Amino acid sequence: MNETDAVRGATLRARAEIDLAALRANVRSLRAHAPGAAFMAVVKADGYGHGAVPCARAAVEAGATWLGTATPQEALALRAPGAGVPDDVRVMCWLWTPGGPWREAIEADLDVSVSGLWALEEVTAAARLAGRPARVHLKADTGLGRGGCMPGDWAELIAGALRAEADGLLHVVGLWSHLACADEPGHPSIEAQLTRFREMVARAEQQGIDPEVRHIANSAATLTLPESHFDLVRSGIALYGVSPSPEIGTPADFGLRQVMTLTASLALVKHAPGGEGIGYGHHYVTPGATTLGLVPLGYADGIPRHASSAGPVLVEGKWRTVAGRIAMDQFTVDLGGDEPRAGAEAVLFGPGDRGEPTVKDWAQAAGTIGYEIVTRIGTRVPRVHVNAMP
C-alpha cells in the first residue's frame, strides 16, 4: 500500500483515506453494467471530495475514456501540466455562466456544453479568437428543469449550431440531457424524459446534426436503466462506492466498494460523573459515571451539525454515538466506561469491513444523502491516496 507522499508517516489529527484500488474496481463494475457505452468518470467538486486528479487518473487506468466536471476551472485543472490525464481522454464541463473562459477551454481541447443562444454566441466568438473549432455538446432540457434547452427553443439552437459548424467554428460532438428521478425506480418521469430525449435527438439529427455521442445516464441510470445508456454513460457518486439512493440498492448489490474512509485520533479521554452536561446547550447529559472521548472533527471539517446526538463512530470495535451537539472543530462520544488511550482511532465511516459506520449511516443520521456527506469534508482533512498504480 502506498500513500500520498506529503503525509506518509505523519501523525494526523484526522485523515480521509482514498482507496484508489477500490475506485478502479468500481469503474470496472460500472462499465460492466453498460458494456455497449463509453464511460465518463465524473470528478466534479474535487472528485466528490476524494481528490479530482488522483481519482481521474485511477478511473482512466480502469478504462474510463471520458472525464466530466461541472465548472470549466475544474476541467482546466485536469488538462494542466502534471495532472497526468492522457491527451486522448475527453474532458467535458457543463456549468457555464456568461463571460466564462471559453477560449481557454477551446485551447485546452475541452468539450463544452451549450444550453442556449447566449452560450452559442460566446463559444463561437471564442473559437474565432482561438483559431480552432470548439467541441460542443448541446444540452436538452427533457424534464429536469435546470440547465438545457427547452423543446420549444431547440430548433433555433440547432440551426444556430449548424451555421457555426458550417463556418468551421464548432463541431457538435454530443447531444445530452440529465435525469431527474433515476434514483426512484419506476418514477413516471423517467420514461417521459427518455421519450423526450429520443424526440429531441431525432429532431436535431433531422436538421443535420451528426453527433459522436448521445448521453443522459447518470449513476442510477447506469446501474438500473439499460435503455438510457445510448453512446455514453456518466457516473459520479457510484464511482466512489456510494449508492445513488437506498431505493435502488446498496453498493454491494452492484459490486461497488466505498472509496473514502474518514478517521480521527481521539484528542482526549476522561472520566465524567453522572448528570454532566456535554457540549453547547447541554443537549446530552451523562446518564451515570462514564468516560468521554473527544473527536477532533467538527462542522468546519464538514461533519454535519444535523447529525448531533445521532452520528455513529467506531472506537476500539464498538459503535458510539455523538453525545450532544457537533461543534465547529470537535464533538464528544460517550465511551460507556471504556478507556481507550488518547490517540486511539475513531472511525466515522468506511466501507464497513471492520463493522464501522458507512456514508449511508451518516447520511441517515443527518437526514441527508451520501453525496453531501463525502463532498462536504473540508480542506483541513488531508486526503491520503492509497493503492495508486506505480
Side-chain angles (χ1 to χ4, degrees):
M1 177 181 291
N2 45 35
E3 294 188 354
T4 308
D5 287 342
V7 295
R8 184 182 292 118
T11 299
L12 301 176
R13 171 185 66 99
R15 59 188 264 159
E17 183 174 290
I18 312 301
D19 186 351
L20 296 176
L23 189 142
R24 290 192 295 271
N26 291 342
V27 170
R28 290 189 287 269
S29 293
L30 288 159
R31 291 179 62 209
H33 281 88
F39 185 84
M40 176 188 288
V42 179
V43 294
K44 64 180 181 176
D46 195 27
Y48 286 58
H50 294 68
V53 169
C55 289
R57 287 198 298 258
V60 169
E61 289 161 357
T65 53
W66 290 73
L67 298 171
T69 72
T71 71
Q73 290 79 12
E74 292 172 328
L76 289 167
L78 297 175
R79 288 290 194 224
V85 174
D87 292 341
D88 60 348
V89 172
R90 302 307 323 167
V91 179
M92 179 184 174
C93 53
W94 46 77
L95 189 59
W96 288 86
T97 53
W102 297 100
R103 180 174 179 177
E104 293 92 329
I106 294 167
E107 291 174 342
D109 201 25
L110 301 181
D111 285 40
V112 302
S113 178
V114 166
S115 296
L117 291 176
W118 75 262
L120 185 62
E121 292 168 0
E122 290 201 3
V123 75
T124 53
R128 286 191 182 93
L129 293 173
R132 56 184 292 185
R135 288 177 56 90
V136 169
H137 296 239
L138 300 178
K139 186 175 185 182
D141 186 348
T142 57
L144 179 59
R146 297 191 321 195
C149 182
M150 296 296 286
D153 301 321
W154 188 236
E156 185 180 15
L157 183 64
I158 295 299
L162 285 168
R163 287 193 296 270
E165 197 165 51
D167 291 340
L169 296 172
L170 60 83
H171 298 308
V172 179
V173 296
L175 298 172
W176 77 294
S177 190
H178 196 56
L179 292 165
C181 303
D183 56 355
E184 300 179 43
H187 195 284
S189 71
I190 296 171
E191 186 53 42
Q193 281 197 257
L194 290 176
T195 297
R196 182 178 287 185
F197 184 60
R198 294 186 188 99
E199 292 171 349
M200 293 179 77
V201 166
R203 272 188 273 161
E205 292 176 342
Q206 288 164 5
Q207 284 182 249
I209 298 292
D210 182 22
E212 295 175 20
V213 289
R214 302 158 299 154
H215 51 109
I216 192 172
N218 55 9
S219 285
T222 299
L223 293 168
T224 64
L225 297 169
E227 65 272 27
S228 73
H229 292 170
F230 294 95
D231 306 304
L232 171 69
V233 297
R234 309 184 306 266
S235 182
I237 194 65
L239 185 71
Y240 308 99
V242 178
S243 175
S245 72
E247 290 78 14
I248 72 167
T250 68
D253 292 333
F254 301 107
L256 305 175
R257 178 179 172 81
Q258 190 175 298
V259 172
M260 182 187 291
T261 298
L262 179 64
T263 62
S265 298
L266 290 182
L268 180 67
V269 177
K270 62 183 180 181
H271 293 272
E276 189 78 2
I278 306 299
Y280 290 125
H282 284 181
H283 286 261
Y284 181 81
V285 177
T286 55
T290 189
T291 45
L292 302 173
L294 186 65
V295 179
L297 285 169
Y299 57 76
D301 302 294
I303 309 305
R305 190 170 182 267
H306 279 87
S308 294
S309 298
V313 181
L314 186 77
V315 180
E316 293 196 334
K318 294 182 182 179
W319 272 42
R320 309 296 185 178
T321 303
V322 175
R325 282 185 176 165
I326 293 170
M328 183 179 290
D329 311 300
Q330 55 200 285
F331 64 84
T332 300
V333 292
D334 190 332
L335 297 169
D338 291 343
E339 298 187 18
R341 72 189 191 288
E345 183 181 67
V347 186
L348 279 74
F349 57 76
D353 296 347
R354 296 181 288 165
E356 75 273 18
T358 65
V359 166
K360 175 186 174 183
D361 295 313
W362 269 86
Q364 289 177 333
T368 187
I369 56 176
Y371 301 69
E372 186 176 357
I373 298 300
V374 291
T375 58
R376 68 185 296 158
I377 301 303
T379 56
R380 295 199 306 187
V381 180
R383 273 57 170 178
V384 181
H385 295 89
V386 301
N387 295 324
M389 292 182 67

